[in-house]
């Protein structure tokens, strides 16, 4: 096996932590000696042992000495005290001979210091092994730790003629079961899911993750005038699933009705008669929410793009045609006045889910230039 083969195994291990380590990164580690894997580990949950220490624990459980072994890890080992001791200390103590690293860690507490410490202790370090794949796995962490605000993914499903519903407003279902399962994986991947009150009024959906042995994202409802029904599924389950209602309405009586039912109410400044999305994201970052999965109607989608908060777009395209001049499209709002003012995207991937296609893209220009 090659260095990239071992790193691929580390990557597959890292992904097992998806949804449980935020706002920490997903990290996997593999310990190899004489061409044989002797230990494996990954960061399993926020506050738990890091991948390297879990890999060493795996070796210890089998009474295997790691001295002079190689360590493959998807992210630069930490060198500071946080919820756990530095992984660089464990690497040195276990007598590791060589360390192969995927991504550099931009966290100012690490940022090259981990590599420097290892080299100062005579350990050979090889960087950028499958760097692109490792960076892609942790695109949320890398953005959040660098920009101090949540990574936002705008997701929508549409027909081949660009419709998100029929002219009657009915939309279930545009895509197939395989696509919908992938959406739940992305709900797990992100710390929070956000929608507008219009979607709540139209669908009364739970906005939970329905994968087995998963966890639910924090639910965020943009509701400028506090119109979310008190008997909606969102409010009725707020004591079970953390729910934040973002609003510009300061009516004390209304706010108390939501709080009494377990909702958090977050007041924001008013922007164009709606919630100020940039202010909202700043407050979410303060709550350690590193990412937002935006599943919403066309008006909020446009506001998010116009505010410059969208980093990534997921477009599910189903092989169907709804037609109808009044049938809605994924992005509403005023729109741009001419083609030259369009929001430009860079396609980053295409995936198939049975008959559906998922187009993934990065927003490469926005009004704030912060992507």
């Amino acid at each position: 096996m090659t260095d990239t083969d071992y790193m691929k195994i580390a990557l597959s291990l890292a992904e097992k932590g998806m949804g449980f380590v935020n706002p920490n990164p997903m990290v996997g580690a593999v310990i190899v000696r004489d061409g044989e894997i002797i230990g494996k580990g990954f960061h399993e949950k926020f506050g738990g042992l890091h991948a390297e220490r879990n890999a060493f624990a795996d070796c210890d459980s089998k009474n295997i000495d790691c001295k002079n072994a190689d360590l493959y890890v998807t992210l630069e080992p930490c060198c500071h005290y946080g919820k756990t001791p530095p992984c660089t200390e464990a690497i040195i103590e276990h007598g590791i001979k060589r360390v192969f690293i995927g991504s550099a860690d931009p966290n100012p507490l690490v940022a090259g210091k981990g590599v420097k410490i290892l080299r100062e202790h005579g350990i050979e370090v090889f960087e950028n092994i499958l760097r692109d794949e490792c960076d892609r796995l942790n695109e949320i962490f890398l953005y959040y730790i660098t920009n101090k605000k949540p990574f936002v993914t705008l997701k929508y499903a549409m027909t081949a003629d660009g419709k998100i519903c029929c002219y009657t407003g009915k939309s279930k279902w545009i895509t197939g079961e395989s696509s919908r399962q992938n959406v739940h994986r992305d709900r797990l991947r992100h710390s929070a899911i956000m929608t507008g009150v219009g979607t709540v009024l139209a669908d009364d959906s739970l906005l939970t993750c329905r994968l087995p042995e998963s966890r639910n994202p924090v639910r965020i409802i943009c509701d400028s005038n506090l119109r979310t029904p008190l008997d909606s599924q969102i409010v009725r389950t707020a004591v079970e699933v953390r729910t934040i209602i973002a609003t510009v309405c300061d009516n004390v009586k209304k706010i108390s009705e939501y709080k009494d039912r377990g909702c958090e109410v977050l007041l924001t400044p008013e922007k164009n008669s709606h919630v100020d999305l940039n202010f909202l994201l700043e407050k979410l970052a303060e709550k350690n929410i590193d990412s937002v999965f935006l599943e919403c109607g066309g008006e909020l989608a446009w506001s998010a793009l116009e505010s410059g908060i969208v980093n990534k777009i997921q477009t599910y395209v189903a092989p169907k045609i709804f037609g109808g001049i009044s049938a809605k499209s994924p992005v509403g709002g005023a729109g741009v006045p001419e083609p030259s003012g369009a929001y430009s995207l860079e396609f980053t991937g295409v995936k198939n889910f049975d008959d559906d296609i998922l187009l993934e893209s990065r927003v490469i220009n926005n009004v704030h230039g912060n992507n």
Side-chain angles (χ1 to χ4, degrees):
M1 294 178 69
T2 66
D3 295 336
T4 56
D5 290 328
Y6 293 126
M7 190 61 76
K8 284 178 181 177
I9 294 172
L11 276 166
S12 65
L13 287 167
E15 197 166 10
K16 291 182 178 182
M18 183 176 69
F20 299 97
V21 300
N22 306 61
N24 282 352
M26 292 177 275
V27 184
V30 175
I31 301 172
V32 179
R33 186 170 53 210
D34 298 326
E36 179 186 353
I37 295 175
I38 59 174
K40 295 187 291 186
F42 66 97
H43 185 29
E44 298 177 10
K45 62 180 180 178
F46 179 72
L49 292 178
H50 289 185
E52 299 94 323
R53 289 186 176 272
N54 275 326
F56 290 133
D58 183 33
C59 287
D60 293 342
S61 70
K62 296 178 287 192
N63 294 316
I64 297 176
D65 188 350
C66 300
K67 190 173 182 181
N68 292 323
D70 295 334
L71 171 69
Y72 293 81
V73 61
T74 55
L75 184 71
E76 179 182 0
C78 67
C79 55
H80 63 287
Y81 282 87
K83 293 186 178 294
T84 59
C87 288
T88 50
E89 284 188 3
I91 293 169
I92 295 164
E93 290 168 0
H94 282 82
I96 293 295
K97 183 179 181 180
R98 300 189 301 175
V99 176
F100 297 80
I101 296 171
S103 294
D105 190 341
N107 186 338
L109 296 173
V110 186
K113 300 182 185 73
V115 169
K116 183 173 182 288
I117 289 170
L118 294 177
R119 285 176 172 155
E120 286 174 347
H121 284 80
I123 298 171
E124 288 186 81
V125 180
F126 301 86
E127 300 177 78
N128 302 320
I129 311 298
L130 293 184
R131 172 78 182 258
D132 289 346
E133 290 87 339
C134 292
D135 283 356
R136 189 156 51 246
L137 177 73
N138 278 312
E139 63 181 352
I140 287 173
F141 168 76
L142 296 175
Y143 180 84
Y144 177 71
I145 201 70
T146 302
N147 295 280
K148 311 301 181 188
K149 53 188 170 184
F151 184 95
V152 179
T153 300
L154 170 61
K155 166 262 166 185
Y156 53 81
M158 67 181 191
T159 60
D161 58 336
K163 306 296 185 181
I164 60 171
C165 63
C166 298
Y167 73 90
T168 59
K170 294 182 178 180
S171 60
K172 293 184 179 179
W173 294 103
I174 292 175
T175 54
E177 178 62 27
S178 182
S179 293
R180 297 199 295 274
Q181 282 292 107
N182 193 61
V183 168
H184 282 284
R185 278 181 55 81
D186 280 312
R187 286 184 180 184
L188 174 62
R189 186 185 301 272
H190 292 73
S191 291
I193 180 171
M194 185 162 77
T195 196
V197 65
T199 299
V200 175
L201 292 170
D203 299 337
D204 191 27
S205 55
L206 275 169
L207 299 180
T208 53
C209 178
R210 298 178 189 114
L211 299 177
E213 298 180 6
S214 62
R215 66 104 182 96
N216 290 313
V218 177
R219 300 179 302 195
I220 303 164
I221 313 301
C222 292
D223 184 359
S224 300
N225 300 305
L226 289 181
R227 295 187 295 135
T228 301
L230 295 175
D231 63 350
S232 64
Q233 292 197 90
I234 290 284
V235 176
R236 285 191 286 110
T237 58
V239 292
E240 302 162 22
V241 183
R242 187 181 178 189
T243 302
I244 299 172
I245 298 180
T247 185
V248 300
C249 176
D250 59 1
N251 185 301
V252 175
K253 183 176 183 298
K254 274 190 173 183
I255 290 173
S256 65
E257 289 178 328
Y258 291 103
K259 287 186 173 180
D260 289 345
R261 289 163 173 80
C263 299
E264 299 175 39
V265 178
L266 198 162
L267 276 170
T268 82
E270 183 177 310
K271 186 173 183 180
N272 300 324
S273 301
H274 295 294
V275 167
D276 185 326
L277 295 178
N278 283 287
F279 179 89
L280 173 59
L281 256 65
E282 289 175 9
K283 293 301 176 184
L284 295 179
E286 292 173 7
K287 296 175 183 290
N288 285 331
I289 292 175
D290 66 351
S291 51
V292 174
F293 195 52
L294 186 53
E295 291 191 62
C296 61
E299 294 304 307
L300 181 54
W302 170 254
S303 295
L305 283 167
E306 194 176 35
S307 298
I309 67 169
V310 180
N311 302 96
K312 180 177 180 178
I313 294 180
Q314 291 185 325
T315 305
Y316 288 87
V317 183
K320 302 174 182 177
I321 291 179
F322 284 172
I325 194 169
S326 61
K328 294 180 180 179
S329 61
V331 181
V336 298
E338 54 187 65
S340 61
Y343 289 88
S344 297
L345 309 178
E346 176 188 352
F347 286 114
T348 56
V350 180
K351 299 175 184 176
N352 287 90
F353 293 95
D354 294 332
D355 294 332
D356 303 324
I357 296 173
L358 169 59
L359 302 175
E360 293 189 309
S361 52
R362 183 173 66 90
V363 181
I364 59 175
N365 70 333
N366 64 50
V367 292
H368 297 287
N370 58 0
N371 281 336

